[in-house]
Amino acid sequence: MNDTPRTRSVVSCSLLVVTLVAGATACGEPDGHPLSAKPFDAADQVSFNGHAPNGKADPDKPLEVTVKGDEGRITDVTAADSTGRRLAGELAADGKRWHSTAPLAAGARYEVKVTTEDEDGAPGRRTLTFETTSPKKLLHVSFGPQAGTYGVGQPITAELSAPVTDKAARAAVERALKVRSTPAVTGSWYWVDDKILHYRPQDYWPAGAAVEVSSNFKGIKVTNALYGAEVKPLHLSIGDRIEAITDASEHEMTVLRNGEVINTIPVTTGKPGFSTRNGVKVVLGKEAFVRMRGETVGIAEGSAESYDLPVYWATRVTWSGEYVHAAPWSVGSQGSANVSHGCTGMSTENAEWFFDTVREGDVVKVVGSEGETMTPFDNGFGDWNVSWEAWQKGSALRNATLGAGAHPQTSALAARLRPQV
């Protein structure tokens, strides 16, 4: 070996280059051992593929690094975009070729670091930076609810701008959606339909938790024509653990804060034919005044069951119109009989107290009713009526494998496979 810097050779026209960053340094070493040498510029030793006339790479085409000639080999490759997402790849056993095994992100800037060694074992290094073309069609995601403070039963929602049905594409979407809480919890996404996902912990959120919902979805390939758009993050705070448990057979509601009983309220629930739904519901909203009419729930106007009433201190728990509310007309039955059309009625004083005590996301559970169980997704947030085992099966990541739409972010190990020796 000599002590002169290695010169930079002209690479082929297929070189995937926007900006090449490399310095030529001497490969000679003071002690004569190849491993003690400063890395030489490996530009004349390796080449990169690429076929973009505008200087930007096609994200649908794999990235490839190869060794020129028969001498030397690649020993290590790392590829990552500017957000830190690593690109998975495989290195041939003989060290002559490395190629990406997951799609590149669209509209992204990548840095690829290649480490080599020559026939004498001297180390070389090459760094390449390039950009990929922007996507033509984007999939947008909107998180819910709005930022604020919620009860321990509040699910996180994600709404997609277009339906996603393919299993691999769903897995790509789900991998990109991140939910973190302090303190940490075990949780999972559930595909409600082709455009809606819900996220909940295995158990309720811890009281006082901070929840952050984010995404590294931008540029991620979902289908052949669809890529992820940038997603606005969401920050939530979780309040005290408020649980209202109504025993319809005992005509009584027990309200707990952080496990301690803070009130016991006589109530009336749905009468036969209008029985209140059993199961866990979540507060959806509060209305100080609402006009309730029987026609809105399918009761014919003028029939024996028809009603048109001004109702105060109404706390909504289903979209179809089930509330916890003031019912001064049924005070005589509260605590002793069920006479409502499905709502939970109580005195005006108690209803106002309940209204002031609960917030969106708080848990309202009904037991002992002759009614059916609250459905999971079509009438509010009945998510907690799905067992944890069944909930996990609603995730696209359960037994998922990396496919065409897989997320390009992987562990450092997956992105830096070394050749066999």
Side-chain angles (χ1 to χ4, degrees):
M1 296 181 64
N2 58 50
D3 292 329
T4 59
R6 294 179 182 246
T7 58
R8 193 170 176 176
S9 62
V10 178
V11 296
S12 68
C13 62
S14 66
L15 184 64
L16 177 59
V17 175
V18 175
T19 305
L20 290 176
V21 183
T25 59
C27 69
E29 60 284 340
D31 61 3
H33 194 286
L35 296 180
S36 67
K38 292 181 180 180
F40 61 79
D41 181 0
D44 60 348
Q45 193 180 25
V46 297
S47 63
F48 303 86
N49 73 315
H51 308 280
N54 62 354
K56 294 187 177 182
D58 184 349
D60 286 332
K61 296 181 179 179
L63 176 64
E64 185 176 80
V65 184
T66 56
V67 173
K68 298 177 183 179
D70 297 328
E71 298 178 346
R73 65 173 188 166
I74 300 168
T75 59
D76 197 15
V77 177
T78 59
D81 67 15
S82 56
T83 67
R85 296 179 297 197
R86 290 188 180 273
L87 182 66
E90 290 183 349
L91 183 57
D94 61 3
K96 299 298 184 182
R97 174 178 177 268
W98 179 95
H99 69 282
S100 59
T101 56
L104 282 77
R109 181 179 178 85
Y110 278 91
E111 182 178 76
V112 184
K113 296 181 180 180
V114 184
T115 302
T116 68
E117 60 184 23
D118 66 12
E119 66 276 13
D120 298 321
R125 186 174 296 161
R126 187 64 171 164
T127 299
L128 164 74
T129 59
F130 68 94
E131 294 180 2
T132 55
T133 56
S134 298
K136 295 181 179 179
K137 189 175 181 181
L138 293 173
L139 179 67
H140 296 270
V141 180
S142 298
F143 291 134
Q146 296 181 351
T149 301
Y150 292 85
V152 298
Q154 179 65 48
I156 306 298
T157 64
E159 183 174 358
L160 310 181
S161 60
V164 175
T165 58
D166 178 75
K167 290 182 179 180
R170 284 190 171 191
V173 171
E174 196 173 330
R175 284 190 187 94
L177 306 181
K178 309 296 181 183
V179 181
R180 297 178 177 88
S181 71
T182 305
V185 297
T186 298
S188 177
W189 289 100
Y190 186 106
W191 286 80
V192 176
D193 58 33
D194 294 342
K195 295 178 66 175
I196 301 293
L197 296 84
H198 285 193
Y199 183 99
R200 49 155 274 208
Q202 181 175 358
D203 300 309
Y204 298 139
W205 297 104
V211 181
E212 295 185 5
V213 190
S214 61
S215 169
N216 54 9
F217 196 41
K218 184 178 180 181
I220 296 301
K221 184 176 182 180
V222 179
T223 67
N224 289 335
L226 197 60
Y227 287 81
E230 188 169 2
V231 181
K232 182 180 179 180
L234 172 66
H235 302 275
L236 300 180
S237 297
I238 305 299
D240 288 337
R241 178 169 176 151
I242 301 293
E243 301 168 87
I245 303 173
T246 298
D247 188 333
S249 63
E250 296 294 331
H251 320 292
E252 184 176 83
M253 173 189 282
T254 303
V255 184
L256 301 93
R257 175 183 282 119
N258 299 325
E260 295 185 4
V261 176
I262 58 173
N263 206 349
T264 302
I265 302 172
V267 299
T268 183
T269 62
K271 60 187 176 182
F274 299 91
S275 296
T276 305
R277 299 171 184 83
N278 284 296
V280 178
K281 304 155 196 177
V282 171
V283 173
L284 302 174
K286 300 190 294 183
E287 301 166 63
F289 170 80
V290 61
R291 180 184 175 189
M292 293 189 179
R293 295 178 298 165
E295 304 94 272
T296 62
V297 292
I299 299 174
E301 184 178 4
S303 67
E305 297 294 343
S306 177
Y307 58 89
D308 187 343
L309 297 168
V311 176
Y312 294 89
W313 310 119
T315 300
R316 181 187 285 270
V317 294
T318 73
W319 295 124
S320 63
E322 184 181 327
Y323 289 84
V324 177
H325 64 78
W329 55 85
S330 64
V331 168
S333 298
Q334 293 165 17
S336 59
N338 293 322
V339 297
S340 82
H341 288 89
C343 291
T344 298
M346 57 185 64
S347 71
T348 300
E349 180 182 2
N350 284 329
E352 184 177 3
W353 176 90
F354 186 80
F355 186 96
D356 291 338
T357 300
V358 301
R359 58 164 51 97
E360 288 185 44
D362 282 338
V363 174
V364 177
K365 183 177 181 179
V366 176
V367 298
S369 173
E370 296 181 0
E372 298 179 353
T373 299
M374 171 74 171
T375 52
F377 308 115
D378 61 350
N379 197 15
F381 292 128
D383 304 48
W384 301 101
N385 298 303
V386 180
S387 70
W388 179 241
E389 181 180 2
W391 185 271
Q392 290 177 289
K393 292 179 181 179
S395 167
L397 296 181
R398 186 179 177 93
N399 300 321
T401 57
L402 288 172
H407 199 300
Q409 182 179 357
T410 61
S411 68
L413 179 62
R416 300 183 61 187
L417 297 180
R418 298 181 64 86
Q420 298 175 3
V421 294

